[in-house]
Amino acid sequence: MRNLFGRRVGSATLVAALFAGVFLSAPAQALVRVAPSTVWGHTYAGTSPAKSAYATSTSKPRSANIDAKSKFIVNYRNFPEWAKLEVQAAIDIWSANFQSSVPITLEATWGRSSSWGVLGSARPGNYYSGFEGAPDASLWYPSALANALAKKDLDKVSSEMIIQVNSTASWNQRGDSTPTSREYDLESVMIHELAHGLGFLSNSTYDSYFSYGSIDDPTPFDAYTQTPDGTRLADLASPSLELGSALQNDLVWGGPIAVKANDGVKPKLFTPNPYEAGSSVSHLDEKTFSKSGFDSVMTPNLDAGEVFDGPGPLLLAMMEDMRNKPPVGIATVIPQTPRNVRAIVSDSSAIVTFDAPVNMRTAQISTYVVKNLKTGVEKKSITSPVLMTGLKNGTSYTFSVYAINSIGSSVTAQTDPVIPQPAWRATVIDGTADGRSVASTTFNSVPTLAYTDSKSGALKLAMLNEKVWKKITVDGTGGTAGRTKNPITGQISMCVNGTGTKQLLHIFYSDSVDKDLRYATYDGKKFTFEVVDGNALLINKFEDPIRVRGSSDVSVTNACVASATGIQVFYRDESQGILLGAVKKKGEDWNYELVDGDRKTDDRTTGDVAFHLRALGDGGITYVMYDSVLVVNQKKEATSGAVRVATRTGLDENTWSYKSLDFTDGAVAVAGYDVSLAKVSNGIQATWMTATALTVPKAENIRWALLGAPAYISQTSGGTFGTPGANIVSDGKQLAFECEARICVFDYSKASPAGIKLVTTAQNPEPLRMGWVTVSKVKYLLASVNGKLSLLKP
């Protein structure tokens, strides 16, 4: 994305942190939560040539577990062929030393580093907590390690690791593993960076202005890291001056396997004063280990000429420690009262959620107790949420929550009353496809559904033939006749033009590897395919007034509008954070345009735009609705943002007019998240979500307005059905929205919460797209239920 105070920088983390929701709960029983990874581990170029007496390893170490095997899949971006060989050599070493039955996907980018002296950087894809197989449900495990422990892929779409390599470094490109005293060895850097990506990385950060240290989501690395008196880093108050001081003083590793490998001494970690982002804590101490042969691989600096053939026994021992449950911390106080206790509506049940007490780390809570105050039934848990079952729909219930540790119990907190209600009935359309992304329309008078299947990577089409849904694989598993072999992911948009039963169906989508915007047309008999954008040789920079096809990542969002005069598609340029458009008139090639995000004149914005996007055509007028992120914090979470609408009549790129429907002001801290447009009897209705300063980066309210009267904004919240989640879709009368990682529907004509109905009870580990479709004059909601594409109705 664009640096909102200057140029543009990478934005994948911001998308994950802001709009996917920081916590995406799975079923309450499973307690799976996911948080974005925002902290990187670096390898810095050493300031002096390596000394052959200690820096070069000549034989490979024994594996910590000789039977440990794993498979890495690398998606290379801009890598030269010689560098790919070096990366693969490092991967082969880790494949023999890191045990996992789940393939590890790695995104590797070759480019100029933003920081002087950095040779390489890495981080996990995400962090997971509470999954089955987690040694400690209170800790957050990096993607690859979490998958290995769970023995399944917790997120089949996201990569397990992100690595960036500095293309301008003085690399040894000969492939002989003998860099000169002025060259650096890429294989050695990759061995180091792969360790960071696999979990050798603290999740701590330091604020140099306030001198605060923070660990929002403590990892097993943080739990095994100790102060000299044995206090776990994960147990220090966050944010706090105490934690900030600890990050700049002596820290050691307390894991028993690593202590044994280090001759009974707790290994010393790198903790310089002042703190060094990307180096502090997440490395072995430079002075202690720089001359230790293999074990110096995880010191922060790599000298010119320095070579490593493997990870070293100490690193492998530390990685093995993290597969085990660390010793619990020592409780020093009684727990304070659990915070933000709520009861959420479910079918014959309720989901009780709560936040840990303020003193959770010093209290070392062992158990939470949730009690049904009507029946007296209690359930114990080590984390939130807790599913309370055996309830009667239509009956009011209240619950209490308190925390227990080795010293005593907290004061009890009580929820507001909640009334369970039945969920909607689901009819499975495709039991083999999970439908993470969906779109719906009517084509040749027939209900038509487009959806993805993350297991096969296919884009599918389902069309109702009398009472049977005819299913067609469109793209993603072929590679012939214009199709791609790459998995199809991300947003789908569909639009139709033509008349009667001689219509043309237009489908826009993207692939997960090339990140191109792909386009398929269907006339009822055959498909044609082409790439609209993203497959050129160079990026079409936003400063360039001449718009052409570019090489940017254009796979995040898209929305189309079809008319008798042509087809329009709008999409986010992820590489530059701008909103692009492409127009194809009858008999002509694509004409490209920059819609917004490039300047503040002409009512435009320089915000990072179109993370979420909808488009609609009505009477020759095109409406494009999108979000605009204006300010982000140190965690790359949006703290200021707006919802915007661009409008034009016809297809002239010079006739756009712009309006901000909602923006940061007073009670609204961020306006945006997902957006939706719908035709209603008196105009075009826009719907979006907002967050307050207290709920950022999570949304709290749903707002809507007519575009003809944008000053009159209505609002609702999820109430006892849960906080609104990542995705919404409106048909003008009803709004489907994610509620506590489930699905709810709100009737615009009724007041909240009476207008909210529960649709599904299964909690999804990540956001899912939804759509409305009419079948035989009956309105259904299209969504994934328990991993199967389904239609739902009351």
Side-chain angles (χ1 to χ4, degrees):
M1 65 173 268
R2 180 171 44 191
N3 181 324
L4 299 175
F5 304 101
R7 297 304 338 121
R8 300 184 185 256
V9 296
S11 64
T13 300
L14 173 60
V15 180
L18 169 61
F19 298 113
V22 174
F23 302 103
L24 309 176
S25 302
Q29 303 94 317
L31 253 60
V32 179
R33 295 175 293 168
V34 58
S37 173
T38 60
V39 177
W40 295 78
H42 302 316
T43 302
Y44 279 92
T47 57
S48 60
K51 297 178 177 63
S52 60
Y54 67 83
T56 302
S57 302
T58 57
S59 61
K60 294 183 180 180
R62 290 175 60 88
S63 169
N65 182 342
I66 198 67
D67 297 324
K69 301 289 181 182
S70 55
K71 177 183 179 182
F72 287 74
I73 301 170
V74 187
N75 295 324
Y76 290 104
R77 294 186 180 181
N78 305 321
F79 262 76
E81 291 303 317
W82 72 265
K84 290 181 182 180
L85 297 177
E86 298 285 309
V87 173
Q88 190 59 51
I91 283 174
D92 290 343
I93 291 170
W94 272 110
S95 295
N97 286 281
F98 185 84
Q99 181 179 2
S100 179
S101 60
V102 182
I104 300 165
T105 303
L106 166 64
E107 295 281 345
T109 301
W110 179 267
R112 185 183 297 272
S113 173
S114 59
S115 299
W116 183 89
V118 171
L119 297 174
S121 304
R123 63 169 175 82
N126 289 304
Y127 286 97
Y128 296 87
S129 177
F131 53 88
E132 185 176 357
D136 189 326
S138 68
L139 298 176
W140 295 81
Y141 290 79
S143 296
L145 182 56
N147 288 346
L149 294 168
K151 294 182 172 57
K152 64 180 181 180
D153 196 339
L154 298 172
D155 182 353
K156 294 181 174 63
V157 175
S158 302
S159 298
E160 280 69 51
M161 196 184 310
I162 312 295
I163 288 183
Q164 298 176 352
V165 178
N166 187 356
S167 61
T168 64
S170 298
W171 299 112
N172 170 24
Q173 303 182 22
R174 296 181 300 278
D176 57 7
S177 297
T178 56
T180 69
S181 60
R182 295 184 178 180
E183 295 175 331
Y184 297 95
D185 183 64
L186 180 55
E187 180 182 342
S188 298
V189 170
M190 288 303 299
I191 292 172
H192 179 115
E193 293 305 325
L194 285 166
H196 285 316
L198 292 170
F200 194 99
L201 188 69
S202 172
N203 217 8
S204 57
T205 59
Y206 179 75
D207 188 318
S208 59
Y209 185 81
F210 293 104
S211 300
Y212 277 8
S214 298
I215 307 178
D216 291 339
D217 305 311
T219 69
F221 190 99
D222 297 313
Y224 278 113
T225 298
Q226 300 177 353
T227 60
D229 65 0
T231 300
R232 307 191 315 175
L233 194 68
D235 294 338
L236 296 178
S238 174
S240 70
L241 292 171
E242 181 186 15
L243 179 53
S245 176
L247 296 176
Q248 299 178 96
N249 285 282
D250 288 346
L251 292 173
V252 295
W253 184 267
I257 301 175
V259 172
K260 182 178 179 181
N262 198 43
D263 298 324
V265 177
K266 293 181 178 181
K268 191 175 187 300
L269 299 177
F270 182 63
T271 54
N273 191 344
Y275 180 91
E276 295 179 10
S279 287
S280 288
V281 189
S282 299
H283 292 90
L284 291 172
D285 185 58
E286 179 77 23
K287 292 180 180 179
T288 306
F289 292 99
S290 63
K291 299 181 181 181
S292 60
F294 275 122
D295 289 336
S296 60
V297 69
M298 287 314 292
T299 57
N301 302 323
L302 179 83
D303 288 326
E306 193 171 14
V307 175
F308 295 101
D309 295 325
L314 180 54
L315 169 56
L316 293 177
M318 295 172 77
M319 296 297 293
E320 194 66 24
D321 274 329
M322 287 190 284
R323 290 177 178 262
N324 302 315
K325 180 179 175 62
V328 297
I330 300 172
T332 59
V333 293
I334 293 176
Q336 294 180 10
T337 308
R339 298 170 297 145
N340 302 321
V341 174
R342 293 191 306 160
I344 307 299
V345 172
S346 196
D347 190 344
S348 302
S349 60
I351 301 172
V352 179
T353 69
F354 49 88
D355 292 333
V358 173
N359 68 341
M360 61 168 289
R361 294 184 178 176
T362 53
Q364 288 298 302
I365 296 164
S366 57
T367 307
Y368 293 96
V369 179
V370 180
K371 183 177 181 179
N372 184 331
L373 297 181
K374 181 179 289 291
T375 65
V377 172
E378 292 185 345
K379 184 174 286 190
K380 295 181 179 180
S381 176
I382 58 174
T383 187
S384 168
V386 176
L387 182 65
M388 302 296 286
T389 57
L391 311 183
K392 293 183 179 180
N393 288 332
T395 299
S396 178
Y397 295 89
T398 306
F399 304 87
S400 66
V401 182
Y402 65 93
I404 300 175
N405 71 356
S406 59
I407 300 177
S409 302
S410 74
V411 174
T412 298
Q414 185 171 309
T415 71
D416 290 332
V418 65
I419 302 175
Q421 67 172 234
W424 288 14
R425 299 188 302 274
T427 301
V428 175
I429 299 299
D430 191 336
T432 66
D434 53 9
R436 289 191 178 183
S437 186
V438 301
S440 59
T441 190
T442 299
F443 170 59
N444 286 339
S445 302
V446 173
T448 301
L449 319 175
Y451 55 97
T452 56
D453 176 12
S454 62
K455 294 185 289 291
S456 67
L459 170 65
K460 293 185 174 183
L461 205 65
M463 304 178 68
L464 189 61
N465 184 5
E466 295 183 351
K467 295 184 178 181
V468 178
W469 288 95
K470 179 183 177 182
K471 303 174 191 67
I472 307 169
T473 298
V474 180
D475 204 351
T477 58
T480 60
R483 294 176 172 87
T484 178
K485 293 181 180 179
N486 298 331
I488 304 303
T489 57
Q491 191 168 326
I492 306 168
S493 62
M494 285 198 302
C495 43
V496 175
N497 58 6
T499 58
T501 58
K502 294 183 179 180
Q503 294 182 321
L504 189 63
L505 178 66
H506 309 269
I507 313 172
F508 294 90
Y509 53 97
S510 59
D511 73 286
S512 62
V513 178
D514 295 331
K515 310 293 186 182
D516 295 336
L517 178 63
R518 301 184 62 83
Y519 172 44
T521 59
Y522 183 56
D523 62 4
K525 297 179 180 179
K526 65 178 181 179
F527 288 94
T528 60
F529 300 90
E530 66 176 294
V531 175
V532 177
D533 205 351
N535 64 340
L537 295 177
L538 300 174
I539 289 179
N540 187 188
K541 294 184 178 180
F542 77 94
E543 302 99 325
D544 194 338
I546 302 174
R547 306 309 304 172
V548 296
R549 187 189 303 255
S551 62
S552 292
D553 175 354
V554 287
S555 64
V556 176
T557 54
N558 67 78
C560 66
V561 174
S563 65
T565 56
I567 178 77
Q568 304 175 75
V569 61
F570 306 97
Y571 49 98
R572 172 175 165 81
D573 181 330
E574 173 72 359
S575 302
Q576 301 183 82
I578 52 179
L579 174 58
L580 301 178
V583 178
K584 191 170 189 177
K585 299 178 182 178
K586 279 190 175 181
E588 297 183 9
D589 292 332
W590 289 104
N591 180 61
Y592 298 91
E593 57 183 312
L594 198 164
V595 180
D596 203 0
D598 60 326
R599 62 178 186 264
K600 282 193 174 181
T601 59
D602 311 319
D603 293 324
R604 296 196 184 200
T605 180
T606 55
D608 197 352
V609 297
F611 288 104
H612 300 86
L613 172 66
R614 301 279 182 173
L616 185 150
D618 183 36
I621 302 175
T622 299
Y623 301 89
V624 184
M625 184 179 183
Y626 50 97
D627 48 6
S628 173
V629 175
L630 301 174
V631 179
V632 298
N633 60 19
Q634 289 182 333
K635 298 179 183 179
K636 297 186 179 179
E637 299 164 342
T639 57
S640 175
V643 169
R644 294 176 57 78
V645 174
T647 309
R648 73 175 171 194
T649 301
L651 303 180
D652 187 346
E653 63 187 86
N654 298 310
T655 58
W656 286 109
S657 61
Y658 302 89
K659 181 178 295 184
S660 289
L661 292 181
D662 206 0
F663 43 84
T664 301
D665 181 30
V668 175
V670 178
Y673 303 88
D674 203 10
V675 299
S676 190
L677 285 171
K679 294 181 183 179
V680 292
S681 59
N682 53 344
I684 304 297
Q685 178 180 270
T687 307
W688 63 96
M689 292 189 287
T690 62
T692 67
L694 296 177
T695 64
V696 167
K698 299 175 70 174
E700 182 178 44
N701 296 310
I702 298 170
R703 290 157 71 91
W704 66 95
L706 288 172
L707 294 186
Y712 297 94
I713 297 177
S714 301
Q715 176 174 299
T716 187
S717 67
T720 57
F721 290 80
T723 303
N727 293 324
I728 60 175
V729 62
S730 171
D731 69 350
K733 295 182 179 179
Q734 300 180 98
L735 174 78
F737 66 97
E738 286 189 89
C739 53
E740 217 67 29
R742 307 164 303 162
I743 300 175
C744 293
V745 163
F746 172 68
D747 186 334
Y748 286 106
S749 66
K750 298 179 180 179
S752 176
I756 301 178
K757 299 298 179 184
L758 178 68
V759 177
T760 64
T761 59
Q763 292 180 283
N764 294 298
E766 62 183 79
L768 299 174
R769 287 278 169 185
M770 301 163 285
W772 291 101
V773 59
T774 300
V775 180
S776 300
K777 298 182 180 180
V778 176
K779 182 64 66 73
Y780 292 84
L781 182 65
L782 173 66
S784 179
V785 180
N786 295 320
K788 299 178 181 179
L789 184 75
S790 305
L791 291 179
L792 299 113
K793 68 174 183 178

